[in-house]
């Protein structure tokens, strides 16, 4: 017997409809490239998104077509996010930090029909323009300079759309709505296709109070995470669904500009990778009374959060750092390090320890871990590779020609993350499978060593890699960036680690470096460090 509920399709235009109907007067704020502030309402946003949708249809975009963006975080990008899926097409934000070669490869593989590009990013587009064959280029005007004649002006395109002709997509909720390439930290970028349904369910999940994120209409949300990185972790969708005020920083991602926006717009929730939040902490610490902040949560994910970041924000500024884990393949939210009732009477230090874990899977995401002996017990000790499944987890890659090793025969995604799982179902990532250090048959977690090193008062950043060793196969080697004006001795570092780890975990080799190389989304790029090491033959 079938249930008798309506067959209501979960689609992106339903988010737009809700925002327009209920939150018309709420604001969307953007810091533009020239640093002026643009404000308008959800009502203006919905109207313009619908006009854009109609105009794109008139330019030949049909269901399933891909429309790429090369844009910072701002209101026009948000309009594209909603206009394109609203006509059943697929919005495809490009990572502006990719090389021109990668960008042209991705655009050609995705077969993007139209490219919408920020005027300030035209110089980047010019670098690969001759290598791609998009049918039209639409430029978002941002400077006094004239837009070259061969391109369309975004504002003129929007103005040309007749809102009364808007017909929202009401087809199959499983249809593709959003395309995103992985940032390629450990290999060539691969395309992931989010569906209308997966976007809706992911948005609902991240709004749940039980994930400790719980965004509401009262929140003012500033996504530092770029809209080209896993749909800015879903913020544009979940914020629009609940009518939260949205604040976009545009290209101004330095700590000073962000802190200024946090203060002037009374931002209550922000999210980004740990490296960005570290720079914000350092800026705050340099003049702790300069800014008045209203933040209740800083959501951090993308790589492991250093313990001192959680502790410092809490102790010095009363702000909770919420540790989350995810992947582009998982839309991206997989787990969050929630505070359970078990921690009700825990000391602050215990709570900081707990925050190091990547957390409990969010509702509808299922987890298991596996090593060479089978599924790992949930004992918080046994390590294995994390496997996941759920309604917003990719089932395959776009145009994946080789048989993929990323999926198990029974359809779970192999994350490549080496974890332990506690008896309460909390995930703790020990490493990426490519980064874990295998020393004399034992696994050493580079993440744990990095975290500890970054807790040293003179260390700004630290990354630990595996280097070859005749006797032990591999040994840990640490690259360390001192804080400004500080010097570091290796003996001091060794001593600092000595009481925290088993002896064989302690790196014997260290090198001082000016900055840890970062990936296009701000993670430590260990492949670059491995190359550096190999080139320089630093002996351990
Ligand atoms: P890329 O795979 O190119 O880095 P993603 O942003 O999709 O792009 O990265 C997903 C990976 O990032 C995860 O598999 C995991 O290794 C890492 N990651 C994400 N969040 C965390 C976290 N909180 N702690 C440790 N690692 C994380």
């Amino acid at each position: 017997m079938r249930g008798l509920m309506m067959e209501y399709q979960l689609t992106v235009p339903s988010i737009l409809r809700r925002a327009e109907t209920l939150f018309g007067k709420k604001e969307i704020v953007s810091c533009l490239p020239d640093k002026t502030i643009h404000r308008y309402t959800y009502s203006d946003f919905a109207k313009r998104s619908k006009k854009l949708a109609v105009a794109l249809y008139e330019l030949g975009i049909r269901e399933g077509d891909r429309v790429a963006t090369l844009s910072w975080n701002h209101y026009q990008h948000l309009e594209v996010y909603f206009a394109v899926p609203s006509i059943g097409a697929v919005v495809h934000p490009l990572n502006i930090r990719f090389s021109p070669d990668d960008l042209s490869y991705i655009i050609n593989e995705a077969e993007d029909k139209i490219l919408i590009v920020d005027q300030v990013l035209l110089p980047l587009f010019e670098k690969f323009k001759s290598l791609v064959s998009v049918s039209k280029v639409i430029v978002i005007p941002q400077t006094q300079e004239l837009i070259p004649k061969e391109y369309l002006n975004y504002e003129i395109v929007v103005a040309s759309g007749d809102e009364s002709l808007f017909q929202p997509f009401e087809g199959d909720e499983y249809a593709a709505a959003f395309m995103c390439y992985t940032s390629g930290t450990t290999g060539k970028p691969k395309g992931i296709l989010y569906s209308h349904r997966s976007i809706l369910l992911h948005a609902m999940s991240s709004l749940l109070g039980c994930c400790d994120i719980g965004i509401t209409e009262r929140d003012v949300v500033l996504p530092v995470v770029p809209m080209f990185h896993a749909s800015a972790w879903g913020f544009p969708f979940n914020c629009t669904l609940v009518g939260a005020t949205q604040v976009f920083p545009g290209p101004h991602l330095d700590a000073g500009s962000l802190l200024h926006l946090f203060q002037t717009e009374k931002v209550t929730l922000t999210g980004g990778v740990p490296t960005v939040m570290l720079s914000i902490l350092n800026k705050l610490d340099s003049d702790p009374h300069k800014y008045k902040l209203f933040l209740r949560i800083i959501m951090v994910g993308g790589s492991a959060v250093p313990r001192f970041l959680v502790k410092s924000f809490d102790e010095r500024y009363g702000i909770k750092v919420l540790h989350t884990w995810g992947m582009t393949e998982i839309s991206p939210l997989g787990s969050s390090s929630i505070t359970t009732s078990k921690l009700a009477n825990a000391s602050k230090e215990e709570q900081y320890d707990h925050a190091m874990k990547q957390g409990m899977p969010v509702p509808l995401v299922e987890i298991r871990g596996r090593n060479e002996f089978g599924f790992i017990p949930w004992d918080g000790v046994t390590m294995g590779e994390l496997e996941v499944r759920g309604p917003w987890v990719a089932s395959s890659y776009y145009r994946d020609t080789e048989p993929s090793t990323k999926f198990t025969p029974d359809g779970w995604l192999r994350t490549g993350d080496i974890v332990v799982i506690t008896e309460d179902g909390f995930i703790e990532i020990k490493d990426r499978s490519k980064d874990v250090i295998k020393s004399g048959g034992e696994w050493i977690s580079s993440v744990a060593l990095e975290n500890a090193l970054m807790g040293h008062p003179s260390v700004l950043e630290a990354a630990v890699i595996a280097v070859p060793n005749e006797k032990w196969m591999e040994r840990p080697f640490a690259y360390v960036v001192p804080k400004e004006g500080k010097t570091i001795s290796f003996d001091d570092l060794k001593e600092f680690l000595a009481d925290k780890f088993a002896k064989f975990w302690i790196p014997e080799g260290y090198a001082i470096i000016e900055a840890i190389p970062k990936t296009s989304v701000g993670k430590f790029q260990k492949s670059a460090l491995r190359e550096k090491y190999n080139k320089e033959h630093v002996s351990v």
Side-chain angles (χ1 to χ4, degrees), residues 7-14 17 63 85-89 167-176 195-197:
E7 291 204 357
Y8 180 97
Q9 301 297 304
L10 304 177
T11 61
V12 171
S14 72
R17 203 155 48 236
E63 286 186 14
S86 284
I87 51 171
Q167 281 184 354
F169 171 76
E170 282 181 350
D172 178 9
E173 63 184 14
Y174 282 95
S195 65
H196 286 262
R197 175 187 149 90

Side-chain angles (χ1 to χ4, degrees), residues 182-186 229-230 300-305 323-329 358 415-417 429 431-432 447 519 521 523:
T182 60
S183 50
T185 305
T186 56
H229 186 201
V300 175
S303 41
V305 65
H323 191 190
T324 56
W325 166 84
M327 299 173 76
T328 307
E329 287 88 334
Q358 279 67 18
T415 64
D417 289 326
I429 296 193
D431 243 317
R432 271 195 154 181
V447 174
T519 70
V521 291
K523 303 183 191 191

Side-chain angles (χ1 to χ4, degrees), residues 69 77 92 131 161 185 265 285 341 365 395 397 403-404 486 509 514:
T69 61
H77 205 172
H92 175 201
L131 303 172
T185 305
E265 300 302 325
D285 283 351
S341 54
V365 169
S395 61
Y397 291 101
S404 183
K486 303 275 182 186
E514 247 175 51

Side-chain angles (χ1 to χ4, degrees), residues 200-243:
L200 261 284
L201 291 174
H202 177 263
M204 294 289 284
S205 180
S206 55
L207 289 167
L208 294 174
C210 68
C211 304
D212 278 8
I213 307 168
I215 299 170
T216 71
E217 186 271 344
R218 294 185 299 281
D219 276 306
V220 180
V221 179
L222 185 153
V224 179
V225 49
M227 288 166 85
F228 57 74
H229 186 201
S231 72
W233 298 354
F235 284 123
F237 297 116
N238 58 25
C239 289
T240 306
L241 192 59
V242 296

Side-chain angles (χ1 to χ4, degrees), residues 371-384:
N371 63 19
E372 63 266 45
F373 307 110
F375 293 123
I376 57 169
W378 291 19
D379 59 6
V381 180
T382 314
M383 290 198 217

